[in-house]
Amino acid sequence: MNLSLNTGAGNLVHIYVGSSVFASLHDFLEPFIHAKEKIFILVDENTSDFCLPVLLSQTGDLRNAEVMRTNAGEKNKSLETAGWIWNSLAERGATRHSLLINLGGGVITDLGGFVASIYKRGIPFVHIPTTLLAMTDASVGGKTGINLGKIKNQLGTFHNPEAIFIHTGFLETLDMETILDGLAEVLKMALVADKDLWDELSLLTFTGLTGIPFRDETWVKLVNRCISLKCGIVEKDFRDTGTREILNFGHTVGHAFESLSMQNGMNSMSHGRAVALGMICESQLSFMKTGLKASERDFIVRMILSVYRHYKLEENDLSFLTECMDQDKKQSVQGTRFPLLESPGKAVAGVICNSSEVLESIDFYRNLQP
Ligand code: GLY
């Protein structure tokens, strides 16, 4: 299946999903091989072990590609790692026409996209995302970035890859927590943009969905559907100045939950769980502010808690959560901007909520039975 993202001014990104991705990759690589351009593959220690062998065995064209291996994890989405990759590219003779292939999850696609968009003012790059989160969200839409200290995505560019190649078979290499990270973005996409998808996901239930083998056409279709929804949203607002904000549903409270669990140490919360629990609070805000019905909110809560464990909040966690949200970049004098739901499948951007409304939504969450 082929999709495309058109961000204007001739900027068209082809996105290949499904069984023939390696044939499409072969066709894409042909001019680079013919012109004897250098090709680099950025991997982390996981994709180096589990995905690179598949890629190399499927694409003989890459036998001379140079592999750059970083450590896995969010903390490596740093200026230090970016500097190491830039130096490594320079030492190995990368020119403006060399190609960088980013093989990995959201950390690798964000980091590799950033590095490529800056090196020699931009070299061509492609993404081969290997996690559900990167396939359905991070690799699509031209956002690149690294963290600055503890602040996520503080340095970044809007820069599209030349193409994206998605082999859903890579999902087989993941543990369940990593699948759940991606599933939260899939649920979010359905809630903000596609009522039918939300209804279908609700019917399937979690065990029904994850019981389907990752090579099955169901996953190709699901990934494909999320990507077309994302392309539709990004094409209207590539630089994220308005409607694209709906893609952050659940993330404002979610990031605060994530930071809280990190500071509480042991068993810090996964990104997917934090976003999913954030969507519970932001569904309550949607009930209070944008007309989401109580029955719709309750259904969302039930669906989320059937997949993600409730995280118990203590009274003294509330001030930490509000502090995190105050530092959020969506903060203004009147309060924090939230994308909220009018109904499942229909979201609205830029709703200002004041701190007592936000606290009320967190109270709603606290009072739910785990
Ligand atoms: N992941 C949110 C966005 O691409 O805007």
Side-chain angles (χ1 to χ4, degrees):
M1 269 176 255
N2 297 347
L3 292 160
S4 57
L5 169 68
N6 185 350
T7 52
N11 206 336
L12 189 70
V13 184
H14 289 291
I15 305 169
Y16 304 91
V17 190
S19 51
S20 57
V21 285
F22 293 115
S24 309
L25 179 62
H26 168 77
D27 294 343
F28 173 85
L29 291 173
E30 222 277 317
F32 289 90
I33 307 283
H34 186 75
K36 298 194 169 36
E37 300 296 356
K38 279 187 182 279
I39 300 177
F40 296 86
I41 308 176
L42 180 66
V43 290
D44 65 23
E45 63 219 64
N46 295 325
T47 58
S48 164
D49 289 353
F50 300 113
C51 305
L52 186 60
V54 176
L55 177 66
L56 296 181
S57 70
Q58 294 285 336
T59 325
D61 318 272
L62 293 174
R63 75 180 74 82
N64 294 324
E66 301 208 21
V67 176
M68 292 183 295
R69 183 179 142 133
T70 66
N71 291 330
E74 185 71 27
K75 70 174 186 304
N76 299 299
K77 216 173 98 175
S78 64
L79 205 45
E80 197 187 2
T81 314
W84 174 79
I85 303 169
W86 283 317
N87 276 318
S88 185
L89 285 170
E91 280 160 15
R92 298 187 203 192
T95 72
R96 281 182 66 192
H97 307 289
S98 301
L99 175 72
L100 179 64
I101 298 177
N102 299 313
L103 177 68
V107 168
I108 288 289
T109 58
D110 280 6
L111 170 70
F114 179 69
V115 162
S117 73
I118 299 288
Y119 184 75
K120 292 190 188 285
R121 298 207 174 91
I123 61 170
F125 64 99
V126 297
H127 291 321
I128 307 184
T130 57
T131 62
L132 186 57
L133 186 145
M135 290 178 191
T136 55
D137 191 32
S139 68
V140 181
K143 281 189 181 175
T144 81
I146 58 171
N147 306 329
L148 187 62
K150 285 192 177 140
I151 314 180
K152 281 181 85 156
N153 300 329
Q154 202 64 6
L155 303 177
T157 57
F158 286 98
H159 202 111
N160 274 315
E162 301 293 312
I164 304 171
F165 300 92
I166 299 178
H167 168 58
T168 52
F170 283 141
L171 297 174
E172 285 171 1
T173 65
L174 306 175
D175 58 24
M176 197 42 75
E177 184 165 307
T178 315
I179 291 288
L180 291 184
D181 276 345
L183 192 68
E185 300 296 341
V186 172
L187 294 175
K188 171 209 75 183
M189 191 62 87
L191 278 173
V192 301
D194 190 338
K195 164 95 170 73
D196 291 343
L197 179 58
W198 173 246
D199 290 344
E200 282 169 40
L201 289 169
S202 324
L203 278 178
L204 258 176
T205 76
F206 169 64
T207 10
L209 188 63
T210 50
I212 299 170
F214 291 119
R215 277 176 194 271
D216 194 278
E217 200 55 19
T218 310
W219 286 95
V220 174
K221 285 192 186 135
L222 182 65
V223 168
N224 226 51
R225 198 141 156 198
C226 287
I227 293 174
S228 6
L229 289 166
K230 180 146 187 191
C231 288
I233 295 165
V234 171
E235 282 176 1
K236 290 197 198 102
D237 180 23
F238 180 54
R239 290 198 173 263
D240 201 6
T241 55
T243 51
R244 183 168 178 170
E245 193 197 328
I246 63 173
L247 293 171
N248 288 331
F249 178 63
H251 286 63
T252 305
V253 179
H255 284 154
F257 274 142
E258 217 175 342
S259 307
L260 173 73
S261 75
M262 260 185 242
Q263 91 134 21
N264 286 350
M266 305 248 298
N267 299 327
S268 75
M269 209 187 287
S270 69
H271 175 73
R273 184 172 166 214
V275 167
L277 301 182
M279 287 195 283
I280 293 183
C281 300
E282 296 184 21
S283 294
Q284 168 63 8
L285 282 174
S286 305
F287 166 71
M288 292 158 58
K289 305 278 288 185
T290 50
L292 184 74
K293 294 192 188 104
S295 57
E296 294 167 333
R297 176 205 59 196
D298 293 345
F299 188 77
I300 295 170
V301 171
R302 273 209 306 284
M303 172 81 177
I304 289 176
L305 290 183
S306 74
V307 182
Y308 300 91
R309 267 178 314 115
H310 188 273
Y311 182 90
K312 193 168 183 306
L313 294 180
E314 305 299 340
E315 186 69 42
N316 57 3
D317 291 332
L318 301 186
S319 56
F320 181 88
L321 289 175
T322 355
E323 219 173 278
C324 285
M325 284 185 263
D326 284 350
Q327 282 167 10
D328 196 285
K329 49 187 180 291
K330 293 173 280 304
Q331 178 72 14
S332 76
V333 217
Q334 297 91 354
T336 304
R337 286 165 57 89
F338 283 88
L340 296 179
L341 303 178
E342 290 179 340
S343 59
K346 193 158 184 276
V348 52
V351 184
I352 306 275
C353 301
N354 63 36
S355 50
S356 72
E357 289 166 330
V358 177
L359 277 176
E360 192 177 329
S361 76
I362 293 174
D363 259 344
F364 167 82
Y365 166 82
R366 283 183 77 205
N367 292 328
L368 293 169
Q369 292 302 321

